[in-house]
Amino acid sequence: MTDFPQTLTKYSESPEFTQDTIPLALRRDHYTKDGVWGKIVVTEGELLYLREDLPAQVVTATKPATIFPTEPHSVSPRGNVRFKVEFYRDDAEGSLQ
């Protein structure tokens, strides 16, 4: 996982998803807003993190994935999986209110 800038602060997280409850919107290309970073945190199994023009990344409990602001991405389960997405903003940019 790429290190987050030190100024990032967690402000929200998704519910936990499984292979059966991943919303269709996450299985299709989508993106975070400008200034919003994400971290995919898997607690069980494996998840594929897909980004345009980059190799698929296998996300596991020991290998979280970084979601970069505005970068289109999608996810796909590899068998049984449990995961959530944590959302971060940069305090230094004044984006926290």
Side-chain angles (χ1 to χ4, degrees):
M1 181 179 97
T2 301
D3 290 329
F4 284 168
Q6 292 181 350
T7 55
L8 292 183
T9 301
K10 181 180 168 183
Y11 72 92
S12 182
E13 67 181 45
S14 73
E16 183 178 71
F17 301 113
T18 70
Q19 68 283 348
D20 298 322
T21 63
I22 301 172
L24 186 56
L26 297 185
R27 293 176 185 251
R28 296 180 185 160
D29 271 353
H30 62 284
Y31 55 90
T32 61
K33 294 179 183 178
D34 190 30
V36 175
W37 294 67
K39 183 190 302 182
I40 302 172
V41 179
V42 170
T43 55
E44 179 184 312
E46 296 181 343
L47 186 71
L48 287 180
Y49 175 45
L50 307 163
R51 297 178 291 164
E52 191 172 303
D53 298 327
L54 293 170
Q57 180 179 348
V58 178
V59 185
T60 66
T62 59
K63 294 181 182 177
T66 298
I67 300 170
F68 295 89
T70 71
E71 182 180 58
H73 62 278
S74 62
V75 298
S76 179
R78 290 183 74 181
N80 292 335
V81 67
R82 289 186 177 281
F83 74 98
K84 66 180 177 180
V85 181
E86 298 175 347
F87 297 98
Y88 295 78
R89 291 186 279 206
D90 193 334
D91 289 339
E93 294 179 6
S95 58
L96 290 178
Q97 297 179 7

